[in-house]
Amino acid sequence: MHLLLNTAILAVTLLSPFVAVYAVTFILKGEIKKHQRLQKILFWTCMTAVVVLEMQIRASGGSGSLIKHSSYYGTDIFKYILTAHIIGAVLTYIIWAITILLSSIKFKQKHHLPGSFSNMHRNLGYITIVGLFYTAITALIVYIMTFLL
């Protein structure tokens, strides 16, 4: 059961940067509402996956419980990669949440893009997409080290 659930969570994580890039194509077509809707759906889908993962970790006995059967359990390389993954993912999700929040506020105030907020929005979006790719790659490495090696 753990492997199936973790594989589903990994699939969401691996697909998320590609869906985020696809959401940007709506901007290029002038379809801002579709961009907003897809970004919010993607964000909440990813947040749900994180919550499910955290609940699974807690229910199974804590962070070490899922990885204790891995040959990398307790190694410095695994600790480094896992820590780098968690830090990158948390920072990405914080920046993503801030981007969505600020963009929603600006949009409700009728500060349509392009406008004074455009550069910040674009930069935060790029950072988020790079962060989603980073999170996906490091999640894949953690998954492989935990369940496949």
Side-chain angles (χ1 to χ4, degrees):
M1 181 64 174
H2 290 300
L3 184 60
L4 180 61
L5 187 57
N6 282 305
T7 302
I9 292 167
L10 178 65
V12 168
T13 304
L14 292 175
L15 289 173
S16 66
F18 297 101
V19 175
V21 169
Y22 177 66
V24 172
T25 66
F26 290 120
I27 293 295
L28 301 174
K29 298 175 193 173
E31 299 177 41
I32 294 175
K33 290 280 192 188
K34 284 185 180 179
H35 171 76
Q36 290 171 324
R37 187 170 36 252
L38 184 54
Q39 280 293 337
K40 288 177 182 178
I41 290 169
L42 180 60
F43 176 79
W44 289 112
T45 300
C46 289
M47 287 302 297
T48 300
V50 169
V51 169
V52 168
L53 177 63
E54 285 301 318
M55 288 171 42
Q56 178 192 15
I57 289 170
R58 302 297 168 238
S60 64
S63 59
S65 62
L66 294 179
I67 61 171
K68 65 184 172 192
H69 300 294
S70 168
S71 59
Y72 288 95
Y73 179 72
T75 64
D76 288 340
I77 188 71
F78 186 80
K79 289 177 189 174
Y80 174 77
I81 291 170
L82 182 61
T83 300
H85 166 70
I86 292 168
I87 291 170
V90 168
L91 290 174
T92 297
Y93 279 53
I94 289 170
I95 292 167
W96 197 6
I98 289 169
T99 304
I100 290 171
L101 179 65
L102 290 176
S103 299
S104 295
I105 291 168
K106 293 292 185 182
F107 192 78
K108 286 177 185 171
Q109 294 174 346
K110 306 295 184 209
H111 293 276
H112 294 285
L113 300 175
S116 60
F117 181 64
S118 292
N119 285 336
M120 180 185 285
H121 179 86
R122 186 179 303 110
N123 290 335
L124 290 173
Y126 288 146
I127 291 167
T128 299
I129 289 172
V130 168
L132 289 174
F133 275 107
Y134 173 86
T135 300
I137 291 165
T138 57
L140 180 60
I141 294 167
V142 169
Y143 178 90
I144 289 170
M145 291 177 83
T146 301
F147 297 108
L148 303 179
L149 297 178

